[in-house]
Amino acid sequence: MQSVYVDGLGMTKFGKDPRPLTEIFRQAAQEALAASKAQEVDAIYIGVMNPEEFTGESNIASQIADALGLTGIPSLRIETASSAGAAAIQAGFQSIASGYYRRVLILGGEKMTHLSTSATTRILAEVIDKQERQCGATMPGLAAMITEKYRQKFRLSQSRLENMLCSVALKNHLNGSRNPLAQFQKAITREVYLTSKLVATPLRLYDCSPITDGAAALVRTSEKTDVHLSGIGQGTGPLSLRERDTFTSFPATRIAADRAYRMAEASPQAIDFAEVHDAFTPFEIITTEDLGFFPPGKGGDAAIEGKTAAEGPLPINPSGGLKSRGHPVGASGLAQVVEVAKRLRGQLPSKRQFKRGLTQSTGGLGTNNFVTILELADTPKIQNPGKLSPVPTAGQKKAISPRSVADEGEIETFTILYVTPDGFLPPLALALIRTRDGRLLMAQGEDNEHLKIGREVYLRRMDDFYLFTVKSQFQKVQESLKKRRRRKAAPSPKKEDSMDSKV
Amino acid sequence: MQSVYVDGLGMTKFGKDPRPLTEIFRQAAQEALAASKAQEVDAIYIGVMNPEEFTGESNIASQIADALGLTGIPSLRIETASSAGAAAIQAGFQSIASGYYRRVLILGGEKMTHLSTSATTRILAEVIDKQERQCGATMPGLAAMITEKYRQKFRLSQSRLENMLCSVALKNHLNGSRNPLAQFQKAITREVYLTSKLVATPLRLYDCSPITDGAAALVRTSEKTDVHLSGIGQGTGPLSLRERDTFTSFPATRIAADRAYRMAEASPQAIDFAEVHDAFTPFEIITTEDLGFFPPGKGGDAAIEGKTAAEGPLPINPSGGLKSRGHPVGASGLAQVVEVAKRLRGQLPSKRQFKRGLTQSTGGLGTNNFVTILELADTPKIQNPGKLSPVPTAGQKKAISPRSVADEGEIETFTILYVTPDGFLPPLALALIRTRDGRLLMAQGEDNEHLKIGREVYLRRMDDFYLFTVKSQFQKVQESLKKRRRRKAAPSPKKEDSMDSKV
């Protein structure tokens, strides 16, 4: 395979940008071309998630070639939801690795802030499973349910979890305060975090990345430069929560990381710093575990202990991350790579010289993820890269049949949404319910009381979704009495009975 | 570069398909996998144009990996408007040529028929330039204006042009009548063509491809099979009509063809048959000229003379083309390749053994085009591939300033729209006007009388667009009298005057 290097870089100031999308792209592209050894490129690869709905624009690849004055040159749009910028890197990488092109311009961008928050939330929610959306689920809502499951699995108290999430938010805002291109350039205090409004329990406003406009650009080349793209990998995961084997890890990240580490002949121990997809603070914690930086359940402790701070042994999101730099969905996966390349080149203020950086980008609810490894050219490989944790096998998926469902079950995880999509009134309780026959389904709570993982519930089927009610102590006693009575009354089952039950 | 071969193929019956988009994709994918040497693939590349607006679906790459039971495996969506299926081939090709993947599944599809024609027309029209859209321009409208320009440039009578277009429509419907997967499986007569309704002069209903659901699939591999992908190329062209140097050729096709021919070490003379993007019958004619099959202005004669018939020396669209097979926008570019591979393999009824086939796919109004060449493995290269016509240089674009515009000009080309977008009443006259300062702009006619290329017009600026009125004979006489009077009255210009005019 032809080696692939990074040449010129470009990025707009993230935040609210009044210019049309093509103009935002143009600024980033021109910066990257101007900073490159040669201004000519063979093709343009563009990551953008949904200009069709965000700005009413279609045929964006031709539009951008036109806007850049590069009409004639091949131009493609690549999309994998919120990791589209990373997907463009992957496709652009292959175009050079194959020898088909020598220099390509990679772009990632999105324009979102001109729409209302509810319109943006609706468009973003289209990436999640339809049945879960019909219940009122949103991206923050599902992220919250994953977080609650994480808390229960690793036996964390409410305040310990809060402390972990807060540590990530404070760290990333502090890092963003030093990044002149970040949307939020101010550090926040613990008090600001703790008094910010709840979006979906246990997630607060400061746990969620903002709505942002922006674009990033990078020239990729087969000619040797100072920064080498040494590893890249992609993986997918199940769309719906109810088809997942695990809620506290993203298999898509682990598949992508495994490929990227193997290609780069590197391991988690070889990585000096990383930019990861902290669309929600808990995702940064889970991702640092999936990447093998910390053992499962320990990513939050690392944040609390300052291990992932900009000055710590393994800086995570030194740029401020999606949380503070902002999250123009199609741009983020590429913006991470631009940040890492700048840091390796020593173009960002830091006392340390880094040699090898990693980026991780998440599409949808962890359904289409990428990992990229960049290193200073001629960095020696580490001798014993260490063992990677086993990676989930691709192609496995639990079969679900939405038709046959028991009328009882227990809470697998839950959240209370305080910011709801149009047509749903807050506060809205949502839970993933494990039914008696072992299936998972998403349901809306009839009220918000007594929610806890493991609680037994009754289920009621509505037109498009299920409603659940937590069983009261009284109901449980009643039921157990009923069962005891039935057991006494019923004769022992005969062979004919069991034959019948098969019919 | 690693050689790339075609393995299993799949395609749904094109037309109205009641199933969800993911199900349509699944059928095509399963057929292609079942027909392949091995059922495993390393990644999925999906061409689809606008599921966001056609079916309200986002994150389609993850959705499809999930629907195929291939969760875990990398999955990307590629988009270049109506050539998205071909774009997926290009990206998938590079992934194997680089050695990064060994086997990939390429998919292309779209679901459109569940929407009203006006909704579909609106979504499709988003691919064209915004200013031209604001005038009421649609894809058929702009295609019609290109056709009128073609007629004038090559000095064709109305009836000669009609004969050319009719020949293409009749040929493609006849071919479609033999294709069990085509949307329209019936031949049409000249009378049916001539009495079909006008969509945009001079184009009739039977000059336009239909609205279609469908998907195609192909497994691409580095392992040798009987069909070799020997050449592939892409090119872009200006978005708007008013920035074009030529209206009767698509530079994007010529750039793409040049690359594909060079890569395959082939020339137009080496091609046995082709599937080209006949979204409108005149586009087939123009494309056969851009591909070098016939000289400029002669593509229509070739159709009339039967040279491009299924039994002719150079069959064009033996499958029925977009016109008769149908045009699910994201599927078409891939469906062409599936058709060519099947024909090379002798899986379609034909008396001849073909060795080398070509496909050409068009994105938008000729703004993002692809050419692919497939051949039977071990087909000897031709000795003197002949000379290719010079290809337009990429990166050139005329500067336009929409602000400064004269108030007079002449008609560069025009059409009368009989099927208009929402908010515009038919019949609607549209014209590309060349203003006195040499710029081009799109304008709406105040009436539909006296339209002809070269006619002088007055221009009036409205909020979003321009209105034009053709000057009457009387007005022209008045003007020339006025000018003569002015010339007599005015003194000869002094140096100061010319200095002034520079200010």
Side-chain angles (χ1 to χ4, degrees):
Chain A
M1 235 189 292
Q2 171 68 54
S3 285
V4 176
Y5 296 90
V6 175
D7 199 350
L9 307 170
M11 183 152 22
T12 64
K13 159 94 175 67
F14 280 14
K16 192 167 178 58
D17 194 324
R19 297 173 295 175
L21 178 61
T22 45
E23 282 302 303
I24 300 176
F25 267 116
R26 182 155 75 166
Q27 184 203 323
Q30 284 178 339
E31 277 181 28
L33 288 171
S36 288
K37 286 184 184 172
Q39 274 62 60
E40 291 76 39
V41 291
D42 298 325
I44 310 168
Y45 284 76
I46 303 156
V48 55
M49 175 172 152
N50 198 340
E52 289 81 0
E53 293 188 281
F54 281 129
T55 60
E57 274 161 305
S58 194
N59 201 8
I60 191 83
S62 297
Q63 273 197 55
I64 289 176
D66 230 30
L68 293 176
L70 294 176
T71 314
I73 286 173
S75 179
L76 286 107
R77 178 259 192 116
I78 322 282
E79 182 265 325
T80 52
S82 45
S83 57
I89 296 169
Q90 160 98 340
F93 164 82
Q94 292 167 349
S95 78
I96 290 183
S98 65
Y100 189 86
Y101 294 134
R102 283 164 311 146
R103 298 173 59 76
V104 298
L105 173 63
I106 319 275
L107 298 175
E110 207 85 46
K111 184 171 170 71
M112 310 163 72
T113 65
H114 59 293
L115 295 180
S116 69
T117 301
S118 75
T120 306
T121 304
R122 183 191 62 73
I123 295 172
L124 291 175
E126 281 173 11
V127 306
I128 64 182
D129 175 76
K130 208 173 247 177
Q131 193 263 329
E132 294 175 2
R133 229 189 306 159
Q134 281 166 341
C135 278
T138 57
M139 278 294 286
L142 297 183
M145 292 169 83
I146 286 174
T147 311
E148 183 61 25
K149 192 71 198 170
Y150 184 94
R151 189 178 78 73
Q152 180 247 2
K153 180 170 178 184
F154 297 112
R155 298 164 185 268
L156 307 171
S157 67
Q158 299 272 11
S159 71
R160 183 73 184 164
L161 175 74
E162 193 172 70
N163 201 3
M164 289 175 169
L165 303 183
C166 177
S167 298
V168 173
L170 263 59
K171 166 179 71 70
N172 290 356
H173 270 276
L174 179 64
N175 291 347
S177 74
R178 299 160 178 169
N179 179 354
L181 297 180
Q183 179 165 13
F184 301 125
Q185 294 176 29
K186 56 171 188 187
I188 58 165
T189 62
R190 181 166 295 268
E191 199 193 343
V192 166
Y193 173 87
L194 290 175
T195 54
S196 73
K197 70 173 180 184
L198 276 168
V199 172
T201 59
L203 302 184
R204 298 179 174 279
L205 182 66
Y206 279 102
D207 291 307
C208 308
S209 58
I211 294 167
T212 314
D213 308 324
L218 180 156
V219 174
R220 187 66 57 74
T221 168
S222 57
E223 204 186 330
K224 193 171 176 185
T225 71
D226 52 345
V227 176
H228 179 213
L229 191 158
S230 57
I232 189 162
Q234 180 192 3
T236 58
L239 207 67
S240 70
L241 264 198
R242 62 189 194 285
E243 289 178 56
R244 299 189 182 197
D245 293 320
T246 170
F247 303 104
T248 57
S249 161
F250 294 118
T253 297
R254 294 173 59 203
I255 293 168
D258 181 64
R259 173 107 201 197
Y261 284 136
R262 279 188 290 121
M263 184 175 155
E265 296 173 50
S267 69
Q269 291 74 43
I271 303 298
D272 294 334
F273 70 105
E275 294 282 335
V276 308
H277 195 97
D278 58 330
F280 306 99
T281 51
F283 284 13
E284 173 172 317
I285 294 172
I286 290 174
T287 298
T288 55
E289 299 170 8
D290 283 331
L291 290 169
F293 296 154
F294 308 110
K298 298 295 177 195
D301 294 339
I304 291 175
E305 294 158 14
K307 287 181 183 163
T308 57
E311 297 77 22
L314 180 58
I316 301 292
N317 287 324
S319 70
L322 279 50
K323 180 70 210 74
S324 171
R325 185 180 65 236
H327 185 25
V329 282
S332 285
L334 182 55
Q336 295 176 324
V337 172
V338 169
E339 294 279 357
V340 166
K342 280 187 183 174
R343 203 166 297 275
L344 288 172
R345 284 181 175 156
Q347 292 173 350
L348 301 176
S350 167
K351 287 172 195 147
R352 284 150 71 187
Q353 171 59 57
F354 296 104
K355 285 185 179 162
R356 200 178 275 113
L358 175 149
T359 67
Q360 181 278 341
S361 181
T362 298
L365 194 74
T367 63
N368 210 332
N369 301 2
F370 292 83
V371 170
T372 305
I373 298 173
L374 299 176
E375 50 192 58
L376 283 178
D378 306 321
T379 298
K381 299 289 168 204
I382 54 165
Q383 286 307 310
N384 294 304
K387 218 174 159 187
L388 297 176
S389 54
V391 167
T393 322
Q396 285 180 345
K397 181 180 130 162
K398 287 203 232 170
I400 50 155
S401 139
R403 282 185 202 163
S404 126
V405 155
D407 55 357
E408 293 183 23
E410 61 173 56
I411 294 178
E412 182 79 22
T413 185
F414 70 94
T415 187
I416 301 171
L417 278 184
Y418 287 92
V419 179
T420 51
D422 285 343
F424 295 88
L425 282 180
L428 173 70
L430 290 178
L432 199 63
I433 307 292
R434 190 171 294 277
T435 63
R436 284 206 171 156
D437 51 357
R439 293 158 211 259
L440 286 170
L441 59 84
M442 185 68 72
Q444 232 179 63
E446 301 215 50
D447 59 49
N448 306 327
E449 307 291 314
H450 313 298
L451 297 176
K452 200 178 163 191
I453 291 179
R455 282 267 156 87
E456 290 178 32
V457 301
Y458 293 114
L459 282 169
R460 221 158 31 107
R461 180 158 196 169
M462 310 302 285
D463 270 354
D464 278 349
F465 58 91
Y466 288 88
L467 280 179
F468 73 86
T469 332
V470 176
K471 286 185 193 175
S472 66
Q473 208 48 41
F474 175 74
Q475 284 169 323
K476 280 203 249 178
V477 171
Q478 291 278 312
E479 277 183 13
S480 96
L481 283 175
K482 239 191 249 171
K483 266 184 214 155
R484 211 177 299 168
R485 260 180 251 132
R486 238 184 276 140
R487 222 175 293 149
K488 276 186 190 164
S492 60
K494 293 173 191 166
K495 275 205 168 168
E496 289 78 12
D497 282 340
S498 59
M499 288 295 284
D500 277 356
S501 71
K502 277 189 190 163
V503 175
Chain B
M1 235 188 293
Q2 171 68 52
S3 285
V4 177
Y5 296 90
V6 176
D7 198 351
L9 307 170
M11 181 153 21
T12 64
K13 158 93 175 66
F14 280 14
K16 192 167 179 59
D17 193 324
R19 297 173 294 175
L21 178 62
T22 45
E23 282 302 302
I24 300 175
F25 267 116
R26 182 155 75 167
Q27 184 203 324
Q30 284 178 339
E31 277 180 29
L33 288 171
S36 288
K37 286 184 184 171
Q39 274 62 61
E40 291 76 39
V41 291
D42 298 324
I44 310 167
Y45 284 76
I46 303 155
V48 55
M49 176 172 151
N50 198 341
E52 289 81 0
E53 293 187 281
F54 282 129
T55 60
E57 276 161 304
S58 194
N59 201 8
I60 191 82
S62 298
Q63 273 197 55
I64 289 176
D66 230 30
L68 294 176
L70 294 176
T71 313
I73 286 172
S75 180
L76 286 106
R77 179 258 192 117
I78 321 283
E79 182 266 324
T80 51
S82 45
S83 57
I89 296 169
Q90 160 98 338
F93 164 82
Q94 292 167 349
S95 78
I96 290 182
S98 66
Y100 189 86
Y101 294 133
R102 283 164 310 147
R103 298 173 59 76
V104 299
L105 173 62
I106 319 275
L107 298 175
E110 207 85 46
K111 185 173 170 70
M112 310 162 73
T113 65
H114 59 294
L115 295 180
S116 68
T117 301
S118 74
T120 306
T121 305
R122 183 192 61 73
I123 295 172
L124 291 175
E126 282 173 11
V127 306
I128 63 182
D129 175 76
K130 208 174 247 175
Q131 194 262 329
E132 294 176 2
R133 228 189 307 159
Q134 281 166 341
C135 279
T138 58
M139 278 294 287
L142 298 182
M145 291 168 84
I146 286 173
T147 312
E148 182 60 25
K149 192 72 197 169
Y150 184 94
R151 189 178 78 74
Q152 181 246 2
K153 180 170 178 185
F154 297 111
R155 299 163 185 267
L156 307 171
S157 67
Q158 298 273 10
S159 70
R160 183 72 185 167
L161 175 74
E162 193 172 70
N163 201 3
M164 289 175 170
L165 303 183
C166 177
S167 297
V168 173
L170 264 58
K171 166 179 72 69
N172 289 356
H173 270 276
L174 178 65
N175 291 346
S177 73
R178 299 159 179 167
N179 178 354
L181 297 180
Q183 180 165 13
F184 302 125
Q185 294 177 27
K186 56 171 188 188
I188 58 165
T189 62
R190 182 166 294 267
E191 201 194 340
V192 166
Y193 173 88
L194 290 175
T195 54
S196 73
K197 70 173 178 183
L198 276 168
V199 172
T201 59
L203 301 184
R204 298 180 174 278
L205 183 66
Y206 279 101
D207 290 308
C208 307
S209 58
I211 294 168
T212 315
D213 308 324
L218 180 156
V219 174
R220 187 66 57 75
T221 168
S222 57
E223 204 185 329
K224 193 171 176 185
T225 72
D226 53 345
V227 176
H228 179 214
L229 192 157
S230 57
I232 189 162
Q234 182 192 1
T236 57
L239 207 67
S240 70
L241 264 197
R242 63 189 194 285
E243 289 177 55
R244 300 189 181 197
D245 294 319
T246 170
F247 303 104
T248 57
S249 161
F250 295 118
T253 297
R254 294 172 60 203
I255 293 169
D258 181 64
R259 172 107 201 197
Y261 284 135
R262 279 189 289 121
M263 184 174 155
E265 296 173 50
S267 69
Q269 292 73 44
I271 303 299
D272 294 334
F273 70 105
E275 294 282 334
V276 308
H277 195 98
D278 59 330
F280 306 99
T281 52
F283 284 13
E284 174 172 318
I285 294 173
I286 289 174
T287 298
T288 55
E289 299 169 8
D290 283 330
L291 291 169
F293 295 154
F294 308 110
K298 298 297 176 195
D301 294 337
I304 291 175
E305 294 158 14
K307 288 181 183 162
T308 58
E311 297 77 21
L314 179 58
I316 301 291
N317 287 323
S319 70
L322 279 52
K323 180 70 210 74
S324 171
R325 185 179 65 236
H327 185 25
V329 282
S332 286
L334 181 56
Q336 295 175 325
V337 173
V338 169
E339 295 278 358
V340 166
K342 280 186 182 175
R343 204 166 296 275
L344 287 173
R345 283 180 176 157
Q347 292 173 351
L348 301 176
S350 168
K351 287 171 192 147
R352 284 151 70 187
Q353 171 59 56
F354 297 104
K355 286 185 177 162
R356 200 177 276 113
L358 175 149
T359 68
Q360 181 279 341
S361 181
T362 299
L365 195 75
T367 63
N368 209 333
N369 301 3
F370 293 82
V371 170
T372 305
I373 297 173
L374 299 176
E375 50 190 58
L376 283 177
D378 307 320
T379 298
K381 300 288 168 204
I382 54 164
Q383 287 308 309
N384 294 304
K387 218 174 158 186
L388 298 177
S389 54
V391 167
T393 321
Q396 286 180 345
K397 181 180 131 164
K398 286 203 233 169
I400 50 155
S401 139
R403 282 185 202 163
S404 126
V405 155
D407 55 357
E408 294 183 23
E410 61 172 57
I411 294 178
E412 182 78 21
T413 185
F414 69 94
T415 186
I416 301 171
L417 278 183
Y418 287 91
V419 179
T420 52
D422 285 343
F424 295 87
L425 282 181
L428 173 70
L430 290 178
L432 199 63
I433 307 292
R434 189 172 295 275
T435 62
R436 284 207 173 155
D437 51 356
R439 294 157 210 259
L440 286 169
L441 58 84
M442 185 68 73
Q444 234 179 62
E446 301 214 51
D447 59 49
N448 306 328
E449 306 293 313
H450 313 298
L451 297 176
K452 201 178 164 192
I453 292 179
R455 282 268 155 87
E456 289 178 32
V457 300
Y458 293 115
L459 282 169
R460 216 152 41 101
R461 182 160 195 167
M462 310 302 283
D463 270 355
D464 278 348
F465 57 91
Y466 289 86
L467 280 179
F468 73 87
T469 332
V470 176
K471 286 185 195 175
S472 65
Q473 210 47 41
F474 175 74
Q475 285 169 323
K476 279 202 251 178
V477 171
Q478 291 279 312
E479 276 183 14
S480 96
L481 283 176
K482 239 190 254 173
K483 265 184 215 158
R484 212 177 300 166
R485 259 180 253 131
R486 236 183 280 141
R487 224 176 292 151
K488 275 184 192 167
S492 60
K494 294 174 193 166
K495 276 205 168 168
E496 288 79 13
D497 282 339
S498 58
M499 288 296 284
D500 277 356
S501 72
K502 276 189 190 161
V503 176

